Amino acid sequence: TQGVRLRSAQYAWLEADLDGVDRSLTPWVFAFYHGPFYNSNVNHQGEVATAASREAMEPLLAAHGVAAVFAGHVHSYERTHPVVGGARVAPGLGPVYIVVGDGGNREGLYNAWQEPAAEWVAYRNGSSYGHGRLKVLNDTKALWSWLPNNTVSAEDEVYLENPWYYQGSGGGGGGGGDDGVDQGVIAA
């Protein structure tokens, strides 16, 4: 856990990397981790390295307007609402956390969940192998879709709002204006 503490080399690298993004050229920033910061599956709870990483890195990701944080490790699919510091926030005010650990493996799927579901849980599926698709539509909106492998249509689909714009940092103001893209959850 030493590697993910505040002001560690790993933290300094991530901070410098995020600071160096020219948002006029790269309006969207996504992060990728192995262990999920948010996971309501009963498997892989309380893992020290993931908890330490979340404690150190989550505020940095939120402050830099990271739109979504993708992880695997847990052999299921789960998507959160936007979350900051363990609390659900309005769309565009924090990252969405997506676990796409359901691609297939020798251990099988994990389909046991903590109940009741936390307020930040938006959708979860541990009974199907699947994959995701991310389509950036413009500087403020992207479409995330999750599809079970045995289907051709999305089972979970949501428009992501770019926190960089909606937090006021990206020049787009706040609140989602009329950009020609419908907002909100498509199917859940």
Side-chain angles (χ1 to χ4, degrees), residues 46-63:
E47 294 182 342
V48 174
T50 300
S53 186
R54 175 182 161 190
E55 181 180 346
M57 305 300 187
E58 183 183 18
L60 191 58
L61 297 172

Side-chain angles (χ1 to χ4, degrees), residues 100 102-103 129-133 144-149 151:
V100 188
D102 59 333
Y129 292 108
H131 62 281
R133 295 179 184 161
W144 167 255
S145 305
W146 178 80
L147 298 84
N149 285 344
T151 66

Side-chain angles (χ1 to χ4, degrees), residues 4 19 42 57 59 96 173:
V4 294
D19 284 344
V42 299
M57 305 300 187
V96 170

Side-chain angles (χ1 to χ4, degrees), residues 153-170:
S153 59
E155 186 173 302
D156 181 43
E157 198 165 61
V158 66
Y159 285 107
L160 302 176
E161 297 187 34
N162 189 340
W164 186 252
Y165 279 81
Y166 294 98
Q167 292 172 359
S169 303

